[in-house]
Amino acid sequence: MMRTPGGDREMQLWRRTQGGDIPMVLGQVGDDSQGDTPNPNPVAEPGVKGFLKTRPFYMAHRFGGTEYPEMTKVGLQASIDAGFRCYEFSTYRTKDGVYIGSHDWTTKRTTGVKHEIWNTDWATIKTLKQETGPFMRLEEVVEMMPEGTVLALDHKTTSAGINTNPDDLASEEALFKKLEELFDDPTERVIWKLFSGSDSAERAKARGYTVMCMVYENELDAADLSRWDILGLEWNATQAGWDRLKAAGKPTIAHIITSASQARVALDKGADGLMSSVPSTVHP
């Protein structure tokens, strides 16, 4: 509010960035100790299209995987409570066909007990504990997601490179079918996430999915940025790198953000969105 002789008047403050002017709310752009970050515009519509129209848009990396045990219910709930409308989920398929949340191909790092996920049944994996709870199944994630929110899905066995392994390709195909069971229209609720060397983008796009590539600055010379719909780059990449990304004319997202100061740097360089792993500090 602004005090005037005729009474208090509402004011809208704006923050100028290379990505465009961003509306500000007093108390929402502070230092890291306050845990405050820029506030996005309201979501224009549900699903992927609405999510990408917000500026900036926020994606919860591994369900807040720096602040919480990654890809667990407690982290997902914290991300939902913080106002995120997109949740990044890495997945592997168990021996008996269950898609679980895991960044690694074994359970060793998060549980202390090593099992190769694709060689282990769900009955065994579900007994393991990750600090605040068990591994999540894809079905559980979808059940927790508020209506109209989005899943950024990383099918780990095919998201990194060119893949000719029949088992990995079969897992990807089965995942597409699983998404059709879980969503009325998965292309409206799922972003297919991968890396620049993967050939999975073409298979996902053929099914109508929006595909997001996490590019690194040292890959820009070789990368064909026209292959993907959303482009990600390190928040601390050079301005020249960000300028090259923006020139492609696609929505851009900065990764991996763990503080409000990093968020401000990324937005000043031109990022349209932020991939945050600390919901309490960097959030809508």
Side-chain angles (χ1 to χ4, degrees):
M1 303 291 288
M2 179 177 69
R3 181 145 293 176
T4 70
D8 292 348
R9 296 172 54 191
E10 292 187 0
M11 294 180 60
Q12 174 64 65
L13 300 180
W14 295 81
R15 179 167 175 262
R16 179 146 292 177
T17 75
Q18 292 190 0
D21 291 348
I22 298 172
M24 295 169 57
V25 178
L26 289 177
Q28 289 228 326
V29 181
D31 60 31
D32 296 345
S33 63
Q34 295 174 315
D36 295 322
T37 51
N39 190 49
N41 296 325
V43 175
E45 60 188 83
V48 174
K49 291 180 180 179
F51 169 68
L52 293 176
K53 286 179 180 179
T54 62
R55 288 295 183 273
F57 52 83
Y58 287 78
M59 184 178 295
H61 180 252
R62 302 190 199 178
F63 300 173
T66 294
E67 188 171 8
Y68 299 93
E70 60 194 54
M71 288 176 281
T72 56
K73 286 184 178 180
V74 66
L76 177 55
Q77 189 60 60
S79 299
I80 292 170
D81 292 344
F84 285 84
R85 296 188 58 81
C86 184
Y87 320 103
E88 190 250 0
F89 186 68
S90 299
T91 190
Y92 282 94
R93 184 172 69 160
T94 66
K95 185 178 180 180
D96 53 344
V98 177
Y99 290 93
I100 67 167
S102 179
H103 180 269
D104 303 351
W105 61 276
T106 81
T107 60
K108 174 68 174 178
R109 178 174 60 88
T110 60
T111 70
V113 180
K114 183 176 180 179
H115 291 288
E116 295 177 345
I117 294 172
W118 54 70
N119 284 329
T120 308
D121 287 338
W122 170 242
T124 296
I125 290 179
K126 72 179 182 180
T127 66
L128 304 177
K129 300 296 182 183
Q130 305 178 101
E131 291 189 44
T132 59
F135 287 92
M136 289 191 75
R137 295 178 296 118
L138 176 60
E139 290 88 343
E140 295 174 291
V141 175
V142 175
E143 288 174 1
M144 286 184 64
M145 290 172 58
E147 184 176 356
T149 56
V150 176
L151 187 67
L153 191 58
D154 183 346
H155 180 246
K156 278 298 179 182
T157 56
T158 60
S159 68
I162 296 175
N163 200 303
T164 58
N165 184 301
D167 291 337
D168 293 342
L169 293 173
S171 175
E172 180 184 272
E173 178 68 19
L175 180 56
F176 284 132
K177 292 180 179 178
K178 174 62 69 174
L179 293 172
E180 292 172 359
E181 296 173 7
L182 296 174
F183 295 103
D184 291 336
D185 183 352
T187 65
E188 294 182 353
R189 297 290 302 281
V190 176
I191 294 171
W192 196 256
K193 175 180 174 286
L194 36 73
F195 297 89
S196 64
S198 174
D199 60 354
S200 183
E202 284 65 36
R203 294 189 293 273
K205 290 186 75 170
R207 291 176 174 268
Y209 285 93
T210 298
V211 296
M212 176 174 70
C213 182
M214 309 311 291
V215 185
Y216 292 87
E217 189 165 17
N218 61 4
E219 299 171 334
L220 285 174
D221 287 340
D224 177 5
L225 300 182
S226 68
R227 292 179 60 208
W228 310 292
D229 303 308
I230 307 167
L231 301 173
L233 192 65
E234 312 102 299
W235 69 269
N236 56 350
T238 66
Q239 186 62 60
W242 275 101
D243 289 344
R244 291 177 66 179
L245 209 71
K246 294 291 291 183
K250 311 289 183 68
T252 60
I253 186 167
H255 60 91
I256 303 296
I257 305 295
T258 61
S259 69
S261 60
Q262 292 175 5
R264 287 190 291 271
V265 169
L267 293 172
D268 285 343
K269 289 180 178 179
D272 298 316
L274 303 170
M275 181 178 282
S276 164
S277 64
V278 185
S280 68
T281 301
V282 183
H283 56 81

